[in-house]
Amino acid sequence: TEVPRQRPNEIPHNEKLLSLKYESLDYDNSENQLFLEEERRINHAAFRTVEIKRWVICAMIGILTGLVACFIDIVVENLAGLKYRLVKDNIDKFTAKGGLSFSLLLWATLNASVVMVGSLIVAFIEPVAAGSGIPQIKCYLNGVKIPHVVRLKTLVIKVCGVILSVVGGLAVGKEGPMIHSGSVIAAGISQGRSTSLKRDFKIFEYFRRDTEKRDFVSAGAAAGVSAAFGAPVGGVLFSLEEGASFWNQFLTWRIFFASMISTFTLNSVLSVYHGNAWDLSSPGLINFGRFDSEVGTGIPHAGFSSLTFAGGILGALFNALNYWLTMFRIRYIHRPCLQVVEAMLVAAVTATVGFVMIYCSRDCQPLQGSSVAYPLQLFCADGEYNSMATAFFNTPEKSVVNLFHDPPGSYNPMTLGMFTVMYFFLACWTYGLTVSAGVFIPSLLIGAAWGRLFGISLSYLTKSSIWADPGKYALMGAAAQLGGIVRMTLSLTVIMMEATGNVTYGFPIMLVLMTAKIVGDYFVEGLYDMHIQLQSVPFLHWEAPVTSHSLTAREVMSTPVTCLRRIERVGTVVDILSDTSSNHNGFPVVESNPDTTQAGWVAGCSGDPHTRCLLQVAGLRGLILRSQLIVLLKHKVFVERTNLSLVQRRLKLKDFRDAYPRFPPIQSIHVSQDERECMIDLSEFMNPSPYTVPQEASLPRVFKLFRALGLRHLVVVDNRNEVVGMVTRKDLARYRLGKEGLEELSLAQT
Amino acid sequence: TEVPRQRPNEIPHNEKLLSLKYESLDYDNSENQLFLEEERRINHAAFRTVEIKRWVICAMIGILTGLVACFIDIVVENLAGLKYRLVKDNIDKFTAKGGLSFSLLLWATLNASVVMVGSLIVAFIEPVAAGSGIPQIKCYLNGVKIPHVVRLKTLVIKVCGVILSVVGGLAVGKEGPMIHSGSVIAAGISQGRSTSLKRDFKIFEYFRRDTEKRDFVSAGAAAGVSAAFGAPVGGVLFSLEEGASFWNQFLTWRIFFASMISTFTLNSVLSVYHGNAWDLSSPGLINFGRFDSEVGTGIPHAGFSSLTFAGGILGALFNALNYWLTMFRIRYIHRPCLQVVEAMLVAAVTATVGFVMIYCSRDCQPLQGSSVAYPLQLFCADGEYNSMATAFFNTPEKSVVNLFHDPPGSYNPMTLGMFTVMYFFLACWTYGLTVSAGVFIPSLLIGAAWGRLFGISLSYLTKSSIWADPGKYALMGAAAQLGGIVRMTLSLTVIMMEATGNVTYGFPIMLVLMTAKIVGDYFVEGLYDMHIQLQSVPFLHWEAPVTSHSLTAREVMSTPVTCLRRIERVGTVVDILSDTSSNHNGFPVVESNPDTTQAGWVAGCSGDPHTRCLLQVAGLRGLILRSQLIVLLKHKVFVERTNLSLVQRRLKLKDFRDAYPRFPPIQSIHVSQDERECMIDLSEFMNPSPYTVPQEASLPRVFKLFRALGLRHLVVVDNRNEVVGMVTRKDLARYRLGKEGLEELSLAQT
């Protein structure tokens, strides 16, 4: 179970590739007799117990996610405080007597070494913990399994990695990774066991299947958003936007519950930590602070509109630059050591750029009345501080809030302009490094800087005090830049609204995000989607490409399909599963004729001389999964060929659940020569009513069925209910809408 | 097309009935060759045009909904002002010299006559405009067509009715009906024509099908919520909670857009109307006013918890009382005249109760510093006003806000207690009258009254100023009462949060609503669900009943099924459609054999001697709808029996769209004896790939497929793809979870 990593010989030379290495998840409850028997045993009271368990799990998800967020926040705050105080003392010491180059060296070395540790653990222990984790969680909720993505080890590395990246002074945030952390917590709790810890707590066994796990992971992601931004509703909408195929009221309500608990936990713990227990003033890791909606709220609306294009264009530029950078990285920086070196380099450069900018800046502001955390005096007069330092010599979260709320006149336009340009390139370079880090805060920071700049220019140009508050422009700029980069829509609007704490700003924020998305989409797609595509993930979008009505299931499906008979020879099953050339995960079960000794039925292959074809009626009877067959073989649920009526060993649903989700490979199961001649009766274990489509069904129709029900396999049948093909995720994900209409991606077996 | 009204002989003697009179909507794009041909012609650019049209329609929905809300608000404000001033002057006049009974008479007569007009137009012109319309919209979004529910005439009656009810002093609100109004506006605009006006604007013809219309109606409902409460996100969530089966990102984003535009329009117009154009301080019809989250927000959280049970219990009591009342009404007050008389009676009694309460109250408060709109001095000293009058002698919206924000000490506990009790019964009596009116505001008012009472008691008992602000208890009480009555979950939390304008209150509101729902559900279901069930609507909930795994498609389906052949005799089609005993709307098309002259195929009827059975293979080839057959017959798309190869008259998709949604009845189509002998070729018009399930599929599986895809017909086939039955909405809605487990409702053909 090697983590999928891009190797030089696997480089997608262009992005028009689809990897088959990712397994799909099955969000359809593939029901078989065992499952139905269990469900029938569940009466109303037992159902209520299950329901209560779900709520308890959601509460635990919320609490734990909140606590993890607190942990990150408190540790970052202390470590970063330590670092900044150290450097500040040093700078203060050397400002007078010269030798600031030593301070620069200290700062750069501190940053680089902290980031080195952060990068080392990610690169060598758990590479999937790199980045924000949002693309990975999007994929998971979409139905693609990225290996190791929801494991405890990943969580530990992620949390440590984020702390180290932020403390290391990179242009990153700790908010995005919370979504990943919340998801891992949810997956862990809901399954009641941990692979990393090798512990099975024997609880919540009912939830050990893909559907239930996905629902909890949605709740975890929502709780993560909620803890990060103090945005419980935004969290729910994020989960829905990314994950929901079919959702229901109770599920949404539970997700909301987890979100609320999460922000409330964070709020309580941080309030107690900061000594104002009853205030509840820290609903999220980042709080935008209070924006007033006093008289005149309506006026700036008009001004904001001019901002919205900039967000889209700058966002698109960011994504395009990052795309080339990522291609470069995939090609040349694929060895872990190199990745660590690059991360250190970026850390050192970030410190140097910051230092040089602060050094060169002559923008001094009076210290009195300002809330700056680590005021650097440098060459300013006594009682003044260097204003560039508020932006660079600070955690990015604090810089954002400063840009939003510092009174008009706190920043020199030149300072803001320089900062925007430098930070833009630094953030762009940083995203994609092998460190755990989010892109939300850097985006907000870039946007806040140029938004404020715009506000200042506007009030300078119009000479009217009515355009006075540059903080509001900073907020809108931040929204525009973030929207232009990530292209989230509804959820981002609500997240921004909730983080602002003021409903009045909803309308302009929505307009800004909408325009940023439209403008940005014109040039290049969103950052997360781009990275998902670069990883060649078979991601299914909301709808089939608009021009795909001319395609039918017949053209889309994979064929021929390996079928099994209802009562099948054990040897045949083993051979089919061991066949590495066709690594199928689902097999249609067709009308069985125990006298035929033919090895495996292959349907839909008429005309193909290379496959073994039986031109008998292969009417569909059911569908069985590879994982189920493996469990059957492992437990040797065989009957003697001569005595088919003999009752085979009873298996319970528990046996399947215990094996979930890491079913052993077929190679690990030994079947003797005698056993190969036994028969295996699949009737009880197969899903007797798999979803099917006729060959004439159009691609959008197939797509909708697949997406709405969260299917993994969809059997294509002809008029007589005979199997002619199979549609899986990769068959659908291959079709994309390109610039010149519908295009079909190639498949890469890597 | 008579409006479905409960007649004495159709009374559901118990609620365990399911009516077949409601038609289902088809939210599955049943695609046929014509549709596919059109879709294939739509290239990328044309698709973009369609997409832009969708956005334009959503913007128009938002603007118009906002304007309608403004209209209602302004008219109500002026008329109610006029009324209250008139009565106040009269009371002031007679207080000194005696003769207040004349004032009472004036007030009661005024109210009764205004309500009479409101009730007359509803009872005689458009009975579907009665009530809040939320249950009807819930049904529509769920997939059940309530006749006339989205027609322009309904909107006009609704708007006038709401104005008259509120002005008539009934215990009602104007907020709920906004949801219905928004939906009608959406349906009208998106179809580009109006049946009531008999105008077809020939625009937006692409959207003339159930799926598209449903999507726009969702947006309209959201815009309505948004305008009513200034809650755009809450509106989106309401639509999702009630309507979404399968939804996607773009749709949600559009719904949000409509919501935002709606609240923004309302806000702008009302701000201009009130003379503070740039304030934007009226985002909704009701604004809870500003709640501060100063130091100490956390403390009342603890106190709120004790409130939550009360909400559930009082809500359940309200619903139970209303249930008996509704049963009484269905049985005895079914004639329009009686309904009008009852409405007048309630109006007069409401005025009398209010008057007596005010008269008996000795609770005087200083006038100075209070914001009461129509201060009644009555027997108070000069410079004081009667505090009971703030609650009764005012529009309910204003009373709610007063209860939230009046400083501590404004109300005497006795006043609040009396008011709660009286208003509770009045509101309960009022809901279900034949007037247009909502239950949101009365619920909030009841809750605010007892919540405030609770807050006062608490501060009295604990003697601690920390529990001081009774306004916050009023808010929580309002949430609890409303939640206990309507049992909405996520959407209501967000609506309350947005109306409060303060994210901090989200957590306690969520807890309060959650407990209210759990406690309330223990006793009796929510008010809207109760009314939906009383109307015997085949409503599908989110999931199949939990204990229904033992049922399979075989047991659930309707059988036998009338099938058609691909090339069918016209006479046969006419006979089948005219058969009133089986009023089917979808017919499977089976393998055709033009030589057989048998009239209609009946599948799945082996063993039943009364039906005409053909024991030949009836392999499924497609599905055709009654509406499609009607259009074919109307346009006489026939071929001579002797010359089947002759090209029949070409029909375009436009012909079907023009007939949508009011297809003519079969009786209106004349088919001559000669024409009866012609053949009709269904290949091009049928859906060639209808969704099917095998007989073994369990009810939850069938349910999920049906619900997730928004199906109207689901064909049940056997192993050879032969039709054995059909599952429709009523087959699924029949199974409900009762007190003693799964129960099957009877079907009423009425």
Side-chain angles (χ1 to χ4, degrees), chain A residues 47-61 204 206-207 209 212 215-216 251 254 257, chain B residues 543:
Chain A
F47 172 76
R48 190 157 287 179
T49 317
V50 170
E51 195 63 17
I52 290 172
K53 274 187 193 162
R54 287 202 182 102
W55 283 94
V56 170
I57 293 175
C58 280
M60 286 165 71
I61 292 170
F204 306 142
Y206 183 81
F207 303 124
R209 52 179 183 242
E212 297 279 355
D215 289 352
F216 288 112
L251 171 63
R254 274 200 304 274
F257 181 67
Chain B
E543 282 174 346

Side-chain angles (χ1 to χ4, degrees), chain A residues 31 39-40 47 247-249 257 290 514 542-543 546 549-550 621 687 689 698 701 719 721, chain B residues 29 31 39-40 47 247-249 257 290 490 514 542-543 546 549-550 687 689 698 701 719 721:
Chain A
E31 57 183 26
E39 289 290 320
R40 272 169 213 154
F47 172 76
W247 64 292
N248 72 51
Q249 209 176 353
F257 181 67
R290 182 161 177 167
M514 203 183 259
W542 282 104
E543 282 174 345
V546 283
H549 277 92
S550 51
R621 289 294 174 275
N687 170 4
S689 55
S698 69
R701 206 171 169 77
N719 279 333
N721 202 33
Chain B
N29 274 328
E31 57 184 26
E39 289 291 319
R40 272 169 212 153
F47 172 77
W247 63 291
N248 71 51
Q249 207 175 356
F257 181 67
R290 184 163 176 165
L490 178 60
M514 202 182 258
W542 282 105
E543 282 174 346
V546 283
H549 277 92
S550 51
N687 169 4
S689 55
S698 69
R701 205 171 169 78
N719 279 333
N721 203 34

Side-chain angles (χ1 to χ4, degrees), chain A residues 468-480:
Chain A
D469 188 0
K472 284 177 185 162
Y473 289 93
L475 176 65
M476 292 303 147

Side-chain angles (χ1 to χ4, degrees), chain A residues 16 52 61 122 197 212 254 372 385 392 396 412 521 558 609 617 647 652 668 670 691 734:
Chain A
K16 311 246 179 300
I52 290 172
I61 292 170
V122 172
L197 291 183
E212 297 279 355
R254 274 200 304 274
V372 58
Y385 69 95
F392 267 115
N412 185 317
D521 278 350
S558 303
V617 178
V647 183
K652 295 228 176 79
S668 72
H670 180 72
Y691 294 114
R734 265 191 309 159

Side-chain angles (χ1 to χ4, degrees), chain A residues 27-31 35-36 39-40 42-44 47 55 230 233 236-237 240-241 244-249 252-253 256-257 260-261 264 278-280 290 292 294-299 301 489-490 493-494 497-498 501 503-504 506-507 510 513-514 542-543 546-547 549-550 620-621 687-692 694 696-698 701 704-705 707-709 718-721 737-738, chain B residues 27-31 35-36 39-40 42-44 47 55 230 233 236-237 240-241 244-249 252-253 256-257 260-261 264 278-280 290 292 294-299 301 489-490 493-494 497-498 501 503-504 506-507 510 513-514 542-543 546-547 549-550 620-621 687-692 694 696-698 701 704-705 707-709 718-721 737-738:
Chain A
Y27 292 151
D28 171 48
N29 274 328
S30 53
E31 57 183 26
F35 177 79
L36 284 178
E39 289 290 320
R40 272 169 213 154
I42 294 186
N43 56 12
H44 203 180
F47 172 76
W55 283 94
V233 181
V236 174
L237 289 173
L240 292 181
E241 227 177 68
S245 48
F246 179 68
W247 64 292
N248 72 51
Q249 209 176 353
T252 320
W253 189 225
F256 186 55
F257 181 67
M260 271 288 185
I261 297 274
F264 187 73
W278 292 113
D279 254 26
L280 294 185
R290 182 161 177 167
D292 286 323
E294 302 304 324
V295 176
T297 320
I299 297 177
H301 285 182
T489 54
L490 178 60
T493 311
V494 177
M497 262 168 81
E498 287 185 280
V503 179
T504 325
F507 189 69
M510 185 194 70
L513 288 177
M514 203 183 259
W542 282 104
E543 282 174 345
V546 283
T547 53
H549 277 92
S550 51
L620 181 67
R621 289 294 174 275
N687 170 4
S689 55
Y691 294 114
T692 59
E696 297 81 23
S698 69
R701 206 171 169 77
K704 193 181 167 198
L705 187 66
R707 190 80 170 79
L709 299 173
D718 66 7
N719 279 333
R720 286 163 302 171
N721 202 33
L737 198 65
Chain B
Y27 291 152
D28 169 48
N29 274 328
S30 53
E31 57 184 26
F35 177 79
L36 284 178
E39 289 291 319
R40 272 169 212 153
I42 293 186
N43 57 12
H44 203 178
F47 172 77
W55 284 93
V233 182
V236 174
L237 290 172
L240 292 181
E241 225 176 69
S245 47
F246 179 68
W247 63 291
N248 71 51
Q249 207 175 356
T252 319
W253 189 226
F256 185 56
F257 181 67
M260 271 290 184
I261 297 273
F264 188 73
W278 293 114
D279 254 25
L280 295 183
R290 184 163 176 165
D292 285 324
E294 302 303 326
V295 176
T297 320
I299 297 176
H301 284 182
T489 53
L490 178 60
T493 311
V494 177
M497 262 169 78
E498 287 185 281
V503 178
T504 326
F507 190 69
M510 185 195 69
L513 287 177
M514 202 182 258
W542 282 105
E543 282 174 346
V546 283
T547 52
H549 277 92
S550 51
L620 181 67
R621 288 294 174 278
N687 169 4
S689 55
Y691 294 114
T692 59
E696 297 81 25
S698 69
R701 205 171 169 78
K704 192 181 169 198
L705 186 67
R707 190 79 170 79
L709 299 173
D718 66 7
N719 279 333
R720 285 163 304 171
N721 203 34
L737 199 64

Side-chain angles (χ1 to χ4, degrees), chain B residues 265-299:
Chain B
T265 307
L266 178 82
N267 209 338
S268 312
V269 175
L270 284 189
S271 296
V272 169
Y273 177 78
H274 292 132
N276 37 10
W278 293 114
D279 254 25
L280 295 183
S281 54
S282 321
L285 286 182
I286 180 162
N287 303 301
F288 290 176
R290 184 163 176 165
F291 279 87
D292 285 324
S293 53
E294 302 303 326
V295 176
T297 320
I299 297 176

